[in-house]
Amino acid sequence: MSTEPPIGSCLSGLLLLVAGLLFPDFAWAKSCTPPENTAAIKVNLVEGNLAYNTAEPLKMLTRRMRRNEDAGVKSIYSFGLTSVEWRSKADMQLAGMPVGAASYCWYVTEISMTIETHSTIFLAKEIARDSCIWREVMNHEQKHVKLNRILFGRLKDDLKPKIAAVAEGGIETSDGDAAMAVFRPKIEKTIDTVLEKFSAAREKRHRAEIDTEAEYDRVDAACTETEWDAIYRRAGLK
């Protein structure tokens, strides 16, 4: 039987927009043209401490990884798993510039977004600590952790210009909530689209660069068949 330490799973990002309506000193304007060229877009990545879980049995890790695959496949088992849970929150501020007796030119001044990640490496409990298989599977999973850090670190560079592009312009109305109702959906949609594409591309990169047949063969061949057989026996698979 071959070993196949899988890639990490991902939770969909959660977006929350909160409006702060700011009224500057009274000044008349001839048209609804924001005084600033672009909104300030801030994206902050917060990485939680890497956690480890060695309490789950081999069969459970395999079911966790393959819950959407053919349950009849019995020959491939997941000895390790890297899971990254992540969520995002964005706060948006609008400013209102008077353009009439009862009308304002509303525009986005700032969007501050935080992306939080929490990663966990799972190793099957049947693997003896500090054994050859322990070291090899851990090494494999650490590759996933490293690649995740690189990819999430680059995410802000993709988000910032796309958010800035849909946050441009002004909305003339007496009601700040009405202006928010115009800006909010298109900014939410842009963020959701970027995160969805990122999620798909992230998984593709993990499969292409780490979860390769050559890597599985390397892990499989690194340790003795006696050690692999002992794990299968402890897991009740032999």
Side-chain angles (χ1 to χ4, degrees):
M1 297 180 182
S2 62
T3 64
E4 187 175 348
I7 68 169
S9 59
C10 170
L11 301 183
S12 299
L14 172 66
L15 174 65
L16 174 65
L17 290 177
V18 180
L21 306 182
L22 309 177
F23 294 87
D25 294 336
F26 191 86
W28 295 100
K30 294 181 179 179
S31 63
C32 188
T33 302
E36 302 173 16
N37 292 329
T38 58
I41 311 297
K42 303 175 182 178
V43 181
N44 183 38
L45 178 64
V46 178
E47 182 181 2
N49 292 330
L50 178 61
Y52 299 89
N53 185 321
T54 60
E56 294 193 13
L58 178 58
K59 290 180 181 179
M60 184 177 295
L61 278 187
T62 300
R63 286 196 298 270
R64 179 196 290 268
M65 181 59 196
R66 309 195 183 285
R67 57 186 177 272
N68 295 322
E69 298 183 17
D70 184 0
V73 176
K74 304 295 185 182
S75 62
I76 300 177
Y77 298 97
S78 298
F79 293 87
L81 169 67
T82 298
S83 171
V84 56
E85 298 181 355
W86 56 289
R87 65 175 185 174
S88 66
K89 176 181 178 180
D91 299 324
M92 180 166 64
Q93 288 187 338
L94 299 185
M97 180 177 64
V99 292
S103 185
Y104 292 86
C105 177
W106 296 97
Y107 58 96
V108 179
T109 58
E110 179 180 302
I111 296 175
S112 180
M113 185 174 180
T114 299
I115 300 172
E116 297 180 6
T117 66
H118 299 273
S119 298
T120 303
I121 290 179
F122 294 82
L123 265 69
K125 74 174 186 178
E126 293 87 357
I127 303 176
R129 189 177 182 89
D130 297 326
S131 64
C132 174
I133 293 176
W134 174 283
R135 292 190 298 272
E136 292 300 329
V137 175
M138 181 68 76
N139 176 268
H140 175 91
E141 300 308 326
Q142 289 284 1
K143 293 179 182 179
H144 287 299
V145 173
K146 182 178 180 180
L147 181 56
N148 275 329
R149 286 174 178 159
I150 293 172
L151 297 179
F152 277 101
R154 296 173 180 171
L155 178 56
K156 66 179 181 181
D157 295 329
D158 193 26
L159 277 165
K160 291 175 71 173
K162 290 182 172 60
I163 295 174
V166 295
E168 293 180 347
I171 303 297
E172 184 175 346
T173 176
S174 60
D175 184 359
D177 289 337
M180 180 62 68
V182 174
F183 280 113
R184 178 173 177 167
K186 61 181 182 179
I187 292 174
E188 283 184 328
K189 182 178 180 180
T190 296
I191 292 176
D192 286 346
T193 299
V194 172
L195 295 184
E196 287 171 5
K197 289 182 178 179
F198 167 78
S199 181
R202 186 184 69 85
E203 294 230 4
K204 186 176 181 179
R205 285 283 299 273
H206 279 271
R207 293 187 184 278
E209 298 180 17
I210 301 174
D211 287 321
T212 64
E213 184 176 351
E215 170 69 359
Y216 297 149
D217 290 344
R218 183 197 66 77
V219 174
D220 207 4
C223 307
T224 66
E225 286 300 319
T226 300
E227 191 172 339
W228 289 114
D229 287 344
I231 293 177
Y232 293 133
R233 286 194 297 271
R234 287 193 288 271
L237 297 170
K238 276 197 171 184

